[in-house]
């Protein structure tokens, strides 16, 4: 009977597909023009190291904030092809992962990374 | 379409309803359609508004505008940078404002603890040195004091906005990131205008549904009223039809009653006629025979008596013959075939069989040898002879026969169907005439005028002969005499010859 229960739990875990829970404590987050791609959109509560990997051609950053705007953590600017670890303690809930860089280069265009699409939602489960 | 009414006794009454009368006004549908369109417009507007609210909106535009204002403020007071940055901070209501020298060292700041420190952030330094506007949310290098009180400790996260200035300097603005994000968060979510538009759309949806429901109810009521109206109309029509049939039946019954009464009258008169017309000559014959049986009757009286007896016997024979003729015609009809006959042949037969009839060809009239009539010569001859005898027995002293191709008078009475074309044989007498009030009944069976001594069958037989000959008999009468005009169909043979 106990074996049967374990088999059901395993089947449910496999059925979750893309929403597989990340390894507790560490998760890779890709940064690029202009998107943020965490390894999983679902993590467990607690302290987690976000391994920021900038695969783009310009610097990016990552700001972790609650839905009501309270900033929990922010990385320094991550240079292209560079990595950085941002540690944050998360309670169960949903969080906004955004890049908060605004830059106007020599072409005169104002580029707001968040407005361009660098924002995603991270769900934290107990 | 055939619909059944909801009335209990209407099962046998299929009511036909004109479909055009069952459709209510299109105003209902138009109103419902308009409400639907308005609802759709409001809901689409709500979705568009909410989508515009939900789209990611950064702080770039705010930073650029603030930086431009700060730069203008600084340029308006170039001699006192300390004062300028404090004024800028108060003006923009932000956390701190610093003036960064071209070497990255903070030269002036609204937070004095920062002055003399080196700006560490590479992105901001790159922007300052390259003349590019740059902003990044990152941790601060030094605590920030506001009005001498430490508000932000080293390592806390603020938005850093670098506005490059001429000469390699830079103006650095510090924003509370959480406050900016919270403000954006409040602007997101379901907006009041979205709710209002959804409310308006819902109102129109409900209004449209209510209109459709109302239209359905009104249409159903109108349909029921039309059906009831049609049912009542059909019931009314059926009642009218029943009334008409009752009236017709009543009229028919009255006519049958009148006919029965007429037959009774005729039968009574016939009995009277038999009683008078037959018994009188019979009595005369019997009396004559009794007298003859007595001896001593003078020879002259005996001869006269015998003469009267013979006359009475002939009269009885004639009456019986007429009655038999009527019975025969009524039972078996006149059995002959109409054929084209030379009119002269008919005249010759009449001249031979009825010497008292004066045949009077008119000068310039129709030559009887050139005319064919389509008739049965024997029956036609009998008809003329019958009319002549009838005239002579009713007081006429002479009877003439003339013929022509048109009727010379307006008929006071006519029987049969006047043929076309026709030859008219006019039997003209000089008798006392026929009572005009009696004329309409003169050709009926057993009808005779009160003063007449006839059987009441002569003209009835004449009418049956006229019908059998497919001809007509037109009467004109006055005190000077009567003219009976027999319309005889002209023979086809003559027509063919004329056409040839």
């Amino acid at each position: 009977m106990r074996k049967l229960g374990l088999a059901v739990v395993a089947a449910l875990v496999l059925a979750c597909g893309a929403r597989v829970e990340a390894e507790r404590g560490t998760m890779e987050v890709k940064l690029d023009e202009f998107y943020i791609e965490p390894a999983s959109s679902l993590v467990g509560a607690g302290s987690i190291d976000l391994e920021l990997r900038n695969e783009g051609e310009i610097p990016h950053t990552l700001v972790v904030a609650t839905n009501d705007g309270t900033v929990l953590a922010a990385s320094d600017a991550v240079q292209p092809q560079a990595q950085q670890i941002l540690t944050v303690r998360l309670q169960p809930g949903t969080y906004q992962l955004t890049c908060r860089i605004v830059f106007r280069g020599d072409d005169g265009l104002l580029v707001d990374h968040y407005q361009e699409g660098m924002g995603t939602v991270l769900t934290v489960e107990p | 379409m055939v619909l059944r009414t909801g009335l209990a006794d209407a099962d046998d009454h299929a009511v036909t309803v004109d479909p055009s009368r069952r459709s209510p006004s299109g105003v209902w549908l138009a109103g419902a359609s308009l409400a639907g369109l308005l609802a759709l417009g409001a809901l689409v507007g709500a979705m568009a508004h909410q989508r515009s609210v939900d789209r990611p909106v950064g702080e770039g535009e705010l930073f650029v505008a603030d930086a431009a204002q700060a730069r203008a403020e600084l340029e308006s007071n170039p001699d006192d940078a300390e004062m300028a940055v404090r004024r800028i901070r108060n003006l923009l209501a932000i956390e701190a404002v610093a003036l960064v020298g071209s070497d990255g060292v903070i030269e002036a700041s609204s937070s004095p603890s920062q002055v003399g420190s080196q700006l560490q952030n590479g992105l901001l330094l790159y922007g300052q040195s390259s003349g590019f506007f740059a902003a990044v949310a990152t941790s601060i290098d030094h605590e920030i004091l506001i009005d001498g009180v430490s508000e932000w400790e080293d390592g806390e996260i603020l938005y850093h906005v670098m506005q490059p200035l001429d000469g390699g300097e830079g103006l650095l603005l510090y924003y509370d990131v959480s406050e900016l994000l919270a403000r954006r968060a409040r602007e997101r979510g379901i907006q009041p205008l979205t709710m209002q538009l959804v409310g308006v759309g819902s109102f129109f949806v409900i209004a449209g549904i209510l209109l459709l429901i109302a239209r359905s109810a009104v249409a159903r009521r109108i349909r029921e009223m039309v059906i009831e109206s049609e049912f009542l109309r059909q019931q009314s029509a059926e009642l009218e039809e029943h009334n008409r049939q009752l009236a017709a039946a009543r009229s028919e019954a009255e006519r049958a009653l009148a006919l029965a009464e007429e037959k009774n009258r005729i039968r009574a008169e016939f009995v009277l006629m038999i009683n008078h017309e037959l018994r009188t000559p019979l009595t005369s014959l019997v009396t004559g025979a009794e007298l003859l049986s007595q001896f001593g009757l003078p020879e002259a009286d005996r001869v006269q008596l015998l003469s009267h007896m013979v006359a009475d016997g002939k009269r009885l024979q004639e009456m019986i013959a007429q009655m038999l003729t009527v019975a025969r015609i009524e039972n078996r009809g006149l059995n002959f075939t109409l054929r084209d006959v030379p009119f002269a042949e008919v005249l010759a037969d009449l001249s031979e069989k009825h010497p008292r009839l004066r045949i009077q060809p008119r000068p310039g009239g129709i030559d009887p040898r050139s005319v064919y009539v389509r008739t049965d010569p024997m029956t036609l001859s009998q008809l003329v002879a019958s009319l002549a005898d009838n005239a002579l027995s009713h007081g006429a002293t002479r009877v003439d026969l003339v013929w022509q191709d048109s009727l010379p008078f307006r008929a006071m009475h006519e029987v049969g169907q006047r043929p076309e074309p026709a030859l008219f044989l006019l039997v003209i007498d000089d008798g006392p005439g026929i009572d005009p009030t009696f004329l309409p009944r003169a050709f009926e069976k057993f009808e005779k005028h009160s003063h007449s001594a006839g059987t009441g069958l002569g003209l009835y037989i004449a009418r049956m002969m006229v019908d059998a000959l497919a001809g007509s008999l037109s009467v004109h009468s006055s005190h000077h005499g009567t003219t009976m005009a027999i319309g005889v169909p002209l023979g086809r043979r003559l027509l063919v010859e004329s056409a040839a």
Side-chain angles (χ1 to χ4, degrees):
Chain A
M1 190 66 182
R2 185 171 180 177
K3 289 181 178 178
L4 179 60
L6 289 173
V8 170
V9 171
L12 289 173
V13 169
L14 290 174
C16 289
R19 291 170 61 88
V20 175
E21 185 175 343
E23 183 182 351
R24 185 173 295 274
T26 302
M27 182 176 69
E28 183 181 90
V29 180
K30 289 182 182 177
L31 308 175
D32 205 336
E33 289 80 31
F34 287 93
Y35 62 88
I36 298 174
E37 186 179 280
S40 171
S41 59
L42 181 67
V43 297
S47 180
I48 183 170
D49 291 337
L50 300 176
E51 296 178 355
L52 310 181
R53 181 187 299 277
N54 186 353
E55 297 185 349
E57 297 177 352
I58 57 177
H60 292 295
T61 185
L62 185 75
V63 174
V64 181
T66 61
N67 279 339
D68 61 4
T70 302
V71 174
L72 302 181
S75 71
D76 292 332
V78 184
Q79 296 303 314
Q81 307 305 317
Q83 297 183 25
Q84 190 176 133
I85 292 178
L86 178 64
T87 301
V88 61
R89 176 172 290 278
L90 299 174
Q91 300 298 322
T94 56
Y95 296 86
Q96 303 291 324
L97 304 184
T98 59
C99 175
R100 292 292 174 174
I101 287 179
V102 180
F103 196 84
R104 179 159 59 194
D106 51 5
D107 57 0
L109 295 177
L110 187 70
V111 179
D112 186 326
H113 290 204
Y114 168 66
Q115 196 162 309
E116 292 296 325
M118 295 192 72
T120 189
V121 174
L122 180 67
T123 301
V124 178
E125 290 189 333
Chain B
M1 177 179 285
V2 175
L3 298 175
R4 291 284 177 185
T5 67
L7 301 179
D9 59 346
D11 289 345
D12 296 332
H13 300 277
V15 178
T16 303
V17 178
D18 183 359
S20 63
R21 297 179 59 187
R22 293 188 287 105
S23 299
S25 169
V27 172
W28 295 98
L29 282 178
S33 302
L34 180 60
L37 287 175
L38 291 174
L40 183 63
L43 293 176
V44 168
M47 290 175 60
H49 175 69
Q50 192 58 37
R51 189 179 297 116
S52 70
V53 168
D54 288 340
R55 79 180 192 280
V57 177
E59 313 301 334
E61 299 294 338
L62 171 69
F63 294 157
V64 169
D66 282 358
Q69 193 175 359
R71 180 176 186 175
E73 185 64 28
L74 180 66
E75 290 173 353
S76 67
N77 193 6
D79 299 331
D80 191 347
E82 294 290 340
M83 178 64 71
V85 294
R86 284 198 295 273
R87 290 180 60 181
I88 292 169
R89 191 196 71 81
N90 292 334
L91 179 67
L92 300 179
I94 59 179
E95 305 309 310
V97 176
L99 179 63
V100 183
S102 59
D103 55 357
V105 176
I106 295 177
E107 298 175 347
S109 175
S110 60
S111 175
S113 60
Q114 287 188 311
V115 176
S117 63
Q118 175 68 42
L119 185 60
Q120 302 294 328
N121 188 279
L123 179 66
L124 298 174
L125 289 171
Y126 171 71
Q128 179 186 357
S129 61
S130 303
F132 296 146
F133 179 91
V136 60
T138 187
S139 57
I140 57 178
D141 297 332
H142 296 84
E143 68 169 351
I144 290 179
L145 306 176
I146 298 177
D147 297 329
V149 178
S150 177
E151 291 287 341
W152 298 94
E153 296 180 356
D154 185 13
E156 288 193 283
I157 300 165
L158 291 179
Y159 239 128
H160 297 62
V161 177
M162 171 58 73
Q163 171 62 55
L165 301 173
D166 296 337
E169 293 182 321
L171 193 57
L172 191 56
L173 313 178
Y174 294 86
Y175 289 81
D176 182 346
V177 183
S178 295
E179 181 183 328
L180 292 178
L181 297 187
R183 190 172 68 191
R184 290 296 183 191
R186 286 194 299 272
E187 293 173 354
R188 296 168 69 89
I190 304 300
Q191 295 299 297
L193 180 59
T194 303
M195 293 300 296
Q196 292 168 2
L197 290 172
V198 169
V200 170
S202 301
F203 168 77
F204 283 118
V205 167
I206 294 172
I209 292 173
L210 290 178
L211 280 174
L212 289 176
I213 292 173
R215 174 197 175 274
S216 175
V218 170
R220 185 167 57 250
R221 182 59 194 142
I222 290 176
R223 194 158 52 241
E224 289 174 356
M225 290 175 66
V226 169
I227 290 173
E228 290 171 5
S229 173
E230 287 291 328
F231 175 73
L232 292 175
R233 189 188 62 74
Q234 291 188 7
Q235 291 289 86
S236 174
E238 289 177 5
L239 284 176
E240 289 179 0
E241 175 64 17
H242 290 160
N243 287 338
R244 193 187 62 75
Q245 290 176 354
L246 283 174
R250 178 180 176 183
S251 174
E252 180 69 17
E254 289 177 349
R255 197 179 67 79
L257 179 61
L259 186 61
E261 290 176 346
E262 179 68 8
K263 285 183 177 178
N264 283 338
R265 185 187 65 79
I266 292 171
R267 188 175 295 112
E269 290 188 357
F270 177 70
V271 171
L272 283 176
M273 186 273 291
I274 293 296
N275 185 46
H276 180 264
E277 301 297 336
L278 294 185
R279 198 164 66 179
T280 300
L282 269 177
T283 303
S284 175
L285 279 174
V286 172
T287 304
E290 289 175 349
L291 287 174
L292 285 176
S293 65
Q294 295 177 2
F295 295 103
L297 191 66
E299 182 62 19
D301 292 343
R302 197 178 61 85
V303 171
Q304 185 179 7
L305 187 58
L306 283 172
S307 172
H308 287 165
M309 290 175 66
V310 170
D312 288 336
K314 285 184 176 179
R315 187 176 167 194
L316 280 173
Q317 279 183 324
E318 181 189 356
M319 290 179 64
I320 292 170
Q322 281 189 337
M323 293 173 68
L324 289 175
T325 299
V326 169
R328 185 175 68 252
I329 294 175
E330 286 183 341
N331 290 334
R332 294 179 294 175
L334 289 167
N335 189 17
F336 53 76
T337 303
L338 300 180
R339 57 190 174 87
D340 289 352
V341 181
F343 182 52
E345 188 179 306
V346 177
L347 288 180
D349 187 60
L350 276 173
S351 176
E352 178 184 349
K353 293 182 178 176
H354 210 294
R356 292 186 64 184
L357 182 66
R358 294 155 54 100
I359 299 174
Q360 301 285 346
R362 290 184 175 176
I366 297 174
D367 184 354
R369 293 170 298 180
S370 66
V371 174
Y372 282 79
V373 288
R374 187 165 187 77
T375 188
D376 176 67
M378 183 177 296
T379 304
L380 181 58
S381 176
Q382 287 176 355
L383 174 59
V384 174
S386 170
L387 293 176
D389 288 343
N390 193 60
L392 291 171
S393 65
H394 285 81
T397 58
R398 58 175 288 180
V399 181
D400 294 341
L401 176 65
V402 300
W403 55 91
Q404 58 189 70
D405 58 1
S406 63
L407 195 62
F409 52 79
R410 180 184 179 87
M412 298 168 64
H413 185 69
E414 185 171 277
V415 295
Q417 189 71 32
R418 193 181 298 180
E420 183 66 35
L423 180 69
F424 292 93
L425 276 60
L426 276 55
V427 180
I428 306 169
D429 68 58
D430 60 351
I434 304 174
D435 184 355
T437 60
F438 175 68
L439 256 182
R441 296 187 286 118
F443 292 87
E444 298 300 324
K445 192 177 180 182
F446 294 128
E447 288 287 357
K448 65 173 190 173
H449 202 262
S450 58
H451 304 299
S452 173
T455 60
L457 293 172
L459 291 181
Y460 177 65
I461 294 172
R463 193 187 80 181
M464 289 193 293
M465 288 179 173
V466 164
D467 289 339
L469 292 173
S472 62
L473 185 56
S474 308
V475 184
H476 185 274
S477 183
S478 70
H479 295 300
H480 305 293
T482 300
T483 300
M484 300 272 190
I486 305 169
V488 184
L490 277 178
R492 293 175 186 169
R493 196 167 166 186
L494 171 65
L495 297 176
V496 171
E497 290 175 354
S498 298

